[in-house]
Amino acid sequence: MAYVPGVALLAALVVGCSAGADGNANGTDSKAGSPTVTPAPPGKYLTLPAPCRAVPRSTLKDLLPGAAELPGDQQDKVFRGSAAVTYDTDRKVGCSWKSDAPSATRSLSIDFERVVSYDPAVSDDDRADTVYAKKEKAAGLSSSATPGPPEEKDKKGEESEESGKAKDPAGADATGSADPSPSGSSSESGQDTDGAPGSSSSPEEALPSRILDNLGDAAFLQDLPKRAGSTAQHHSVSVVFRTSNVVVTVRYAEQPALITQVPDGRELQEKAQALARKLAEALSE
């Protein structure tokens, strides 16, 4: 058997350890096969639109009745809108409009929030989804129980209503057709039906707050009729949707000049949704 002096063996061990240390110092991972963390992708949107120019004037004329009849300078002021105060226009912007007509006051506001995740393991989209989910929860809604599209509900309601009229002999005239006379509804309400446009004694009943389909990546509508005990017939509707890493909020409200007039909640909902869809389309362009 060959004899190795103790000093020579010790020198060999020191050389081996030095080589291993050099390998680690040069960036060699001693744990072969360890996974590499890939940063989450950034969101689609890096900037936000100019909010006060995001709504076309033609749309504003429809949403703010009475503004088009104002003198030129006042009309321009209404349609110009008021920008929200913000300290980082790359992250959050907004604008609001208000129109005072003889019959009612209407107000509109839109807010854009661009969400950025500073966690490399969490994408901007996922962080934005968390922001959106908090708003949805605050509205008392849950995505797990998503109702059908409002259009289908409206059609079903109309069908059942027509069916009820056909089966109700009291609602048919001598020719067998349903009696569309408004006298019954006005006598029940005890109010004059000659209300101002957009307000009536028997307004369309609005659908409740709900999750919306086919609007961005996720969306909901929150309907806020007048508070209990309040004499003012104020009705507000909010539509919130998320598209990639941007969360958009549309608020539309009406307050009639007379407390005897009730806002048309369904009209407010339809117009708020229509505007939200236009904004979603503009963002995707």
Side-chain angles (χ1 to χ4, degrees):
M1 176 179 295
Y3 175 75
V4 180
V7 175
L9 178 60
L10 179 60
L13 292 174
V14 171
V15 172
C17 291
S18 299
D22 290 340
N24 289 334
N26 292 331
T28 304
D29 190 357
S30 60
K31 297 180 181 179
S34 60
T36 302
V37 177
T38 302
K44 177 180 178 181
Y45 301 102
L46 302 178
T47 60
L48 291 172
C52 292
R53 295 200 297 268
V55 184
R57 176 168 288 216
S58 58
T59 302
L60 289 174
K61 287 182 178 180
D62 179 54
L63 295 173
L64 305 171
E69 283 71 39
L70 294 173
D73 55 341
Q74 296 182 31
Q75 184 180 140
D76 291 338
K77 182 178 180 180
V78 170
F79 292 142
R80 191 182 307 124
S82 300
V85 177
T86 178
Y87 300 99
D88 189 352
T89 55
D90 285 335
R91 294 290 301 276
K92 192 170 185 179
V93 296
C95 192
S96 60
W97 299 263
K98 185 178 180 181
S99 173
D100 294 315
S103 59
T105 295
R106 295 230 184 169
S107 59
L108 169 70
S109 70
I110 57 175
D111 292 293
F112 297 89
E113 181 178 359
R114 185 175 70 90
V115 182
V116 178
S117 172
Y118 295 101
D119 185 346
V122 180
S123 69
D124 292 347
D125 284 21
D126 289 341
R127 184 68 68 191
D129 190 50
T130 300
V131 172
Y132 166 83
K134 288 181 180 179
K135 294 178 180 291
E136 185 181 281
K137 183 178 180 181
L141 300 171
S142 173
S143 299
S144 60
T146 303
E151 292 80 4
E152 295 182 3
K153 287 187 175 183
D154 295 345
K155 290 179 181 179
K156 290 179 181 179
E158 292 173 359
E159 291 174 359
S160 61
E161 184 180 354
E162 292 298 328
S163 176
K165 288 180 179 180
K167 294 179 181 180
D168 184 7
D173 56 18
T175 61
S177 60
D179 181 11
S181 172
S183 58
S185 59
S186 64
S187 61
E188 291 176 3
S189 63
Q191 298 175 359
D192 186 7
T193 59
D194 295 330
S199 300
S200 65
S201 58
S202 301
E204 290 288 342
E205 183 179 356
L207 293 171
S209 301
R210 60 195 180 278
I211 304 298
L212 299 176
D213 295 328
N214 304 318
L215 176 55
D217 296 315
F220 71 86
L221 181 148
Q222 185 177 19
D223 186 82
L224 298 171
K226 75 166 187 173
R227 293 185 297 273
S230 173
T231 56
Q233 297 285 359
H234 183 272
H235 198 125
S236 178
V237 171
S238 293
V239 175
V240 180
F241 69 91
R242 178 184 73 84
T243 174
S244 186
N245 61 318
V246 170
V247 179
V248 182
T249 301
V250 175
R251 298 182 184 89
Y252 187 44
E254 177 186 354
Q255 181 168 328
L258 301 176
I259 61 174
T260 55
Q261 294 176 321
V262 181
D264 189 336
R266 183 164 299 207
E267 179 197 6
L268 295 175
Q269 288 193 14
E270 290 174 351
K271 291 189 174 183
Q273 288 185 75
L275 175 57
R277 296 185 190 283
K278 288 182 179 179
L279 295 176
E281 292 172 0
L283 282 171
S284 63
E285 292 178 352

